[in-house]
Amino acid sequence: MMTHTLNDRTALLRELLERQLAEHTNQLAELTVHSRQPDQGGRDPDTLRQLIEGARQGVADVTQALKRMSEGSYGVCEACGHDIPTARLEILPAARHCVPCQQRR
């Protein structure tokens, strides 16, 4: 069984965040193009607005996570200050809170 060092895990999580940032950015660009078309790319205007807002929020969340990573505060719960478990970060790499604190929010 291979164990990953903290640096390995951080590098893997950074790669995951960077992939998510690219995905959200590409989705936002594509949706923006649709929103400027007369028929909105065949999408319902309200649905399109919600999708755009979701993509924008994704970009913002991932950008903030990458900023926390560069500042050294990534993986620390913003509410209680405890470490966020790696398993949670692997599922939700932009997580800002541990599960108990997130449930209280």
Side-chain angles (χ1 to χ4, degrees), residues 18-90:
E18 288 171 350
R19 267 198 314 269
Q20 285 185 349
L21 182 59
E23 290 169 10
H24 289 305
T25 302
N26 291 338
Q27 181 185 28
L28 184 57
E30 183 180 313
L31 291 168
T32 301
V33 168
H34 288 307
S35 73
R36 293 183 178 149
Q37 295 171 341
D39 70 345
Q40 309 215 305
R43 291 200 157 108
D44 171 69
D46 290 334
T47 302
L48 191 56
R49 269 194 297 279
Q50 289 174 351
L51 290 170
I52 288 171
E53 182 51 39
R56 278 188 185 135
Q57 189 63 54
V59 168
D61 290 347
V62 172
T63 301
Q64 285 298 312
L66 287 167
K67 181 179 178 199
R68 288 191 306 276
M69 196 174 269
S70 70
E71 293 171 343
S73 61
Y74 179 77
V76 177
C77 178
E78 292 180 2
C80 70
H82 290 102
D83 287 346
I84 300 171
T86 302
R88 175 164 169 75
L89 293 172
E90 288 170 350

Side-chain angles (χ1 to χ4, degrees), residues 86-102:
T86 302
R88 175 164 169 75
L89 293 172
E90 288 170 350
I91 294 167
L92 189 63
R96 295 172 30 220
H97 300 96
C98 64
V99 173
C101 288
Q102 185 65 46

Side-chain angles (χ1 to χ4, degrees), residues 9-17 69 74 86 89-90 93:
R9 285 192 305 257
T10 301
L12 291 171
L13 289 166
R14 180 183 303 280
E15 285 177 31
L16 185 56
L17 285 165
M69 196 174 269
Y74 179 77
T86 302
L89 293 172
E90 288 170 350

